[in-house]
Amino acid sequence: MIRAALLMLAQFIAWLLLLPFLLWSRLPLPEYSVFTAPSQLLALVPGFLGVLLRRVWYRSTLRACGTNLTVDWLAVIRTRQSEVGHRCTFGVANWVGWVRVGDDVMTGSHVVFVSGARQHAFDDLDRPMRDQHGAKRQVVVGSNVWIGSHAVIIADVSPGTVVGAGSVVTRSYGENCVIAGNPARVLRQRGCSERNT
């Protein structure tokens, strides 16, 4: 009971500290200025204070944000249009594009969530690639997912999936799979011993 009260007090103090950023985030300026830049600045704060500040920031600014979000040091959620479920953890130096993340998702360090496979175009040889805009899409990550360090997520990830470290997920697979590789492929189903696969 006392611990919960202290946590609520700490979150209120964090909200007060963030009030200038929260007011700034409501200005009619480009999203990079009012959301991404403050998110990047808050990513630099280490330790419990940083986790607490980021939890309050994202809970106040994302389209949807569940309870007990942990965004570790140097991790950034790129767009306020993202949605995050309950009890999620983004590890050190994650870069999170436009996502909808279910409950109980955890990631290792240096995981990148790309806003779909076609966010950049490059086929027109008469224009610089930087001027060829693609189409972003929201990547959906189901509940109860574990994503290993240095993975790149370009496609949807089904509920119950384990993504191996260093994997590049370019397509979706069924629920409760263990996937790994570049590109990622199914290694086995969860709940089955390795000897049975």
Side-chain angles (χ1 to χ4, degrees), residues 8-193:
M8 286 180 56
L9 177 61
Q11 288 178 346
F12 177 72
I13 292 170
W15 184 84
L16 287 175
L17 291 172
L18 288 170
L19 194 54
F21 285 133
L22 295 171
L23 293 172
W24 176 262
S25 74
R26 304 290 182 225
L27 293 175
L29 297 171
E31 181 163 344
Y32 187 84
S33 297
V34 295
F35 180 79
T36 307
S39 296
Q40 291 172 329
L41 183 62
L42 291 171
L44 300 174
V45 181
F48 176 76
L49 176 62
V51 169
L52 183 64
L53 288 170
R54 288 183 289 276
R55 178 177 292 164
V56 172
W57 167 253
Y58 289 122
R59 180 118 188 188
S60 301
T61 56
L62 290 179
R63 175 179 283 162
C65 184
T67 58
N68 294 328
L69 171 65
T70 298
V71 178
D72 213 331
W73 181 59
L74 299 178
V76 175
I77 299 175
R78 168 70 175 85
T79 175
R80 76 169 78 218
Q81 301 307 315
S82 291
E83 303 166 65
V84 180
H86 300 290
R87 300 171 307 277
C88 292
T89 299
F90 293 108
V92 171
N94 280 205
W95 181 258
V96 183
W98 184 22
V99 295
R100 184 170 70 235
V101 176
D103 299 335
D104 300 304
V105 172
M106 56 185 175
T107 71
S109 63
H110 300 88
V111 173
V112 176
F113 294 84
V114 180
S115 303
R118 305 217 187 307
Q119 70 174 2
H120 297 286
F122 50 80
D123 288 330
D124 185 348
L125 299 178
D126 294 327
R127 287 190 306 151
M129 288 182 274
R130 72 180 307 127
D131 295 334
Q132 299 181 48
H133 303 288
K136 293 182 180 182
R137 79 167 188 86
Q138 189 174 39
V139 171
V140 177
V141 178
S143 293
N144 192 29
V145 168
W146 179 14
I147 301 172
S149 294
H150 295 274
V152 178
I153 310 300
I154 297 172
D156 296 346
V157 178
S158 297
T161 298
V162 175
V163 178
S167 298
V168 179
V169 179
T170 59
R171 60 173 284 218
S172 299
Y173 295 97
E175 295 184 12
N176 299 314
C177 289
V178 177
I179 63 175
N182 181 4
R185 62 180 179 80
V186 175
L187 299 182
R188 67 181 181 93
Q189 285 291 123
R190 287 182 56 220
C192 300
S193 69

